[in-house]
Every structure is written in structure tokens, then in C-alpha cells.
Amino acid sequence: MTRLAQTAGLNDVQREILSTVRDFVDKEIIPVATGLEHRDEYPTEIVEGLKELGLFGLMIPEEYGGLGESLLTYALCVEEIARGWMSVSGIINTHFIVAYMLKQHGTQEQRDAFLPRMALGEVRGAFSMSEPALGSDVSAITSKGVREGDEYVLNGQKMWLTNGGTSTLVAVLCRSDEGHPEGTAPHRSMTTFLVEKEPGFGEVRPGLTIPGKIDKMGYKGVDTTELIMDDLRIPANRVLGGVTGRGFYQMMDGVEVGRVNVAARGCGVAQRAFELGVSYAQQRHTFGKPIAQHQAIQFKLAEMATKVEAAHAMMVNAARKKDSGERNDLEAGMAKYLASEYCKEVVEDAFRIHGGYGFSKEYEIERLYREAPMLLIGEGTAEIQKMIIGRRLLEEYRIQG
């Protein structure tokens, strides 16, 4: 274990899980990640290894076949996995958010139907809020679900669906006006539908099309897709929680824990960038000595390490707050904002330390340099985080009178 980003107060089980995950990352992910990433190839063998480790059921309760672990344990595992390859942590995160939403908000029948198979990784989750024209403005969604007898008919186009091709269960947020009169606030007329589908691309069930992978700058390997619903029929018992109009709150609860996850990803990528930078600085010689002995490089390393440590501490605090049952949107927003910004800065400093070689695809830092920007926009942009943080601060510090 390295000196940086240690977490005090872990129990023996948590330490054992993290040690196992770190060994897996060092042996099974880091050696192959850059090659897979350059080919934009789905990491099938890595995913099978994560299934065997039980990571797809890490936070699913033991009664459903999961490990029943805390958000903190999960976030620390994500940090380790992102240190190896951020795309792999994305494959797990979307699955985890859907499992979390089912656990917190699903009916008993829905939990029984999906959670045991999700714990084994047999059912793989994805969730979908965004649409092509709306970005962060979730209240403006136009996808719609209309009740027809014992079914809902869904129409609309969704965007930026991580695991869109490989998933078999998608939690889709749509507008549903049933029981919500004209003039109802937009966020009160949204419903989460649980859509089962076959993995793959094209028409994956009648009325549901996954057109193909979106070609991205970074965050490769994992499939990011659109989702098109054209008179897609869903049984009424696949409304999450069994009641319409609760979808916005359910999704925001999922995204809140997702933001801790994105913070953890930022911590993991920043850790790896620091490791690469501090290693290269001791091997590369200029003017007769390792560049690590030049004060300019030592200053960079000092700043990088401090940012790694600070981001980790905020991420751990946000996870522990959620685990304690307290509201953590302020802490999660701060952790996601700081970790993603610091990650970008640490990666760039490691890139600068590598000099011209940082621009070469032979060096791992080149991959990290393209991956870090995704964290600035995933699970809400930095600007959205600052809006959330600012509003919550004004609630906490409202002056009286």
C-alpha cells in the first residue's frame, strides 16, 4: 500500500476486500488496460473476474445474495478499480446505481425479481436520464410513458447511456402525466420504468433500439449509447416502487451516491497519475541527475500528492455521511467537484513531467489525459455541483429576520 490516500477506521473485512481488489487491479487490469482502451474493446475477462470477486453485489443486501457492504467500502473499491482503468469502474457504477435504486425504492416483487441476479452479475444494470437536447436540465425531459390497460407505452430518445449495449435492465426516467393534472411541477410528473432487454445493438426488444456505441475521446471500452423507444410496451408492475410521479426523487437519490462514486473515480485516476509521475521523475535524467531532484519537479509532486490526499479525504467523508443515514448532497457535491477538478490537474502535471513522452500512446499517462475530462461532466457538471453546493450552503447559513 502507498503512503497516500489511506483510510482510517476500516474493519478487517473492509481491509481484506480492498487488498483483494488492489491485487486484482495490479495483476489483471493495469497490464492490459491501455491496449484494450486503444482498441476500444470491452473488457470481458476483467468483468468476469469482478463477477467472481462478488463486486457486482458489493452493496446488495446479504438476503439477496450480495455482500451487504457500505457505500464507503464500495467507493474505496471503485477508487482502486479506477486507478487501474476508469472505464471498468463505469461498468460497475451504473449497475450499482440501479441496484441501489431497487433496494431503496423498489417493490418487494421487484427486489426479489432482480437483486439476486444482479448480485451475481447475471442481470446487468444501466440507467437513463439525459436526452439529446437537455444536458443537465433533467426537468425538461420529453420522453413519455402513457398508461394503456395493464401496460405503459414509452416513446422518446435518451442519450449518454453507459452500459447501453451490455446491460439487460435499464432504469429509464420518463414523463408520466397519469394522475398529475396540468400545471403539476415537472419533477412531480416523472416516473422511473424498469426496462428489461437483451444485450447487444439494434432492436433489442420490440420498440426498443440501441443504435450503437458513441465514439468518444476517452472512457473507451465501456459502451456509451443512445436509447430509442418507439411504442415500447412495459408491464405496469415495472414502474419502480409501483407508484408514478416518484421518478425524479428516485433518480436523484441514485445520482447522489453516484456522485460519491465519481469522486472515487477521480481519486483513483489521480492516484495512478501521481504514481506514474513520481516513478518517471526518478528514472528520467536531465543535466546529470534525475528530474525528481530538480526543485521545479519536486514542487509539482508536492502539489499533486496534496491534491490526491485532499480529494480522498472528502470522498471518504461524503461516503461515511451517507452510510450514517444523513443527507449528504452537500458533501457528495463538494467531493465530486473537488476530486474531478484535482484529478484533471494531477493528470496534467504528470503529463508535463513526462515531457514529450506524455504525448506518446506508448505511455499510460496519455490514456489518463483523455479519461480525466469525463469526470468534469459525469453525474452533473462542475457548474451543476457548484449550484447544488451554493443552494445548500444558503439553506444552512440562512440569516434570520
Side-chain angles (χ1 to χ4, degrees):
M1 283 295 218
T2 61
R3 171 71 175 82
L4 293 179
Q6 294 298 295
T7 312
L10 299 181
N11 59 39
D12 290 343
V13 172
Q14 289 173 312
R15 282 194 291 269
E16 185 178 343
I17 290 171
L18 287 172
S19 176
T20 302
V21 172
R22 177 169 275 253
D23 285 346
F24 181 84
V25 168
D26 286 340
K27 292 171 184 172
E28 307 296 335
I29 297 182
I30 288 176
V32 300
T34 296
L36 288 168
E37 199 270 351
H38 287 166
R39 297 191 299 274
D40 198 6
E41 183 178 328
Y42 188 80
T44 303
E45 290 185 17
I46 291 172
V47 170
E48 289 303 314
L50 295 174
K51 279 187 193 175
E52 290 176 22
L53 291 179
L55 287 188
F56 281 97
L58 192 62
M59 275 191 73
I60 293 175
E62 291 180 16
E63 65 195 274
Y64 298 105
L67 297 178
E69 272 296 331
S70 63
L71 178 60
L72 175 63
T73 308
Y74 177 78
L76 293 174
C77 287
V78 165
E79 183 178 38
E80 292 291 353
I81 292 166
R83 181 183 146 265
W85 184 14
M86 192 179 76
S87 294
V88 178
S89 64
I91 291 168
I92 296 174
N93 182 43
T94 47
H95 174 88
F96 153 71
I97 288 177
V98 177
Y100 175 83
M101 288 167 61
L102 275 163
K103 181 186 77 164
Q104 295 295 106
H105 305 289
T107 64
Q108 190 61 54
E109 185 271 331
Q110 290 166 353
R111 291 197 292 265
D112 290 341
F114 294 115
L115 288 180
R117 291 183 293 152
M118 292 185 83
L120 295 172
E122 291 173 0
V123 168
R124 301 268 294 288
F127 75 104
S128 180
M129 290 190 295
S130 190
E131 295 181 2
L134 62 87
S136 298
D137 185 8
V138 178
S139 65
I141 66 170
T142 58
S143 297
K144 195 163 187 178
V146 177
R147 182 94 184 225
E148 289 189 6
D150 291 333
E151 295 181 315
Y152 282 87
V153 180
L154 275 51
N155 283 282
Q157 183 177 1
K158 309 299 279 187
M159 191 70 177
W160 306 121
L161 187 67
T162 302
N163 284 346
T166 47
S167 58
T168 54
L169 175 66
V170 186
V172 182
L173 186 65
C174 294
R175 191 167 301 290
S176 60
D177 295 333
E178 178 200 17
H180 308 291
E182 190 83 23
T184 300
H187 65 279
R188 295 184 187 276
S189 60
M190 294 185 194
T191 298
T192 303
F193 294 93
L194 299 170
V195 178
E196 296 172 80
K197 71 175 188 66
E198 291 298 314
F201 299 99
E203 190 171 28
V204 291
R205 67 174 280 178
L208 180 65
T209 300
I210 307 291
K213 290 166 65 171
I214 297 168
D215 196 14
K216 309 183 296 289
M217 174 177 79
Y219 199 39
K220 293 177 180 285
V222 60
D223 46 282
T224 306
T225 73
E226 297 174 74
L227 179 147
I228 299 169
M229 300 174 290
D230 184 12
D231 288 340
L232 170 65
R233 292 186 172 273
I234 299 294
N237 66 359
R238 288 298 173 254
V239 168
L240 181 62
V243 180
T244 61
R246 298 291 302 164
F248 182 82
Y249 303 101
Q250 294 162 348
M251 282 280 180
M252 289 305 106
D253 189 27
V255 167
E256 198 172 284
V257 291
R259 283 182 179 141
V260 175
N261 174 288
V262 173
R265 287 198 239 180
C267 292
V269 174
Q271 275 189 54
R272 185 60 184 161
F274 175 79
E275 290 171 8
L276 294 171
V278 76
S279 173
Y280 184 82
Q282 294 171 79
Q283 297 171 51
R284 174 85 165 110
H285 286 67
T286 62
F287 306 106
K289 60 183 177 182
I291 62 172
Q293 292 182 21
H294 295 300
Q295 193 176 56
I297 301 299
Q298 287 181 12
F299 282 4
K300 277 197 190 305
L301 294 172
E303 291 166 3
M304 292 160 70
T306 302
K307 289 171 181 176
V308 167
E309 192 77 357
H312 176 84
M314 288 197 76
M315 178 271 291
V316 167
N317 179 56
R320 282 185 160 144
K321 188 114 182 192
K322 187 75 171 179
D323 283 333
S324 73
E326 296 180 71
R327 181 178 177 179
N328 86 328
D329 55 343
L330 177 64
E331 291 77 12
M334 285 181 166
K336 191 273 176 185
Y337 168 59
L338 189 87
S340 58
E341 294 289 342
Y342 276 181
C343 174
K344 172 184 68 78
E345 293 169 13
V346 171
V347 167
E348 181 165 338
D349 278 341
F351 173 83
R352 289 171 185 265
I353 287 170
H354 279 74
Y357 289 106
F359 216 60
S360 165
K361 283 186 174 286
E362 291 181 35
Y363 283 75
E364 193 179 335
I365 192 62
E366 179 270 343
R367 168 170 64 82
L368 270 57
Y369 195 78
R370 288 183 291 101
E371 288 178 341
M374 198 286 290
L375 298 171
L376 300 172
I377 52 176
E379 313 287 20
T381 63
E383 289 71 27
I384 290 291
Q385 305 311 316
K386 287 190 274 189
M387 284 172 55
I388 293 167
I389 293 164
R391 287 171 183 165
R392 285 288 287 115
L393 290 172
L394 288 171
E395 285 178 26
E396 295 287 340
Y397 288 89
R398 179 173 287 119
I399 59 172
Q400 301 301 311

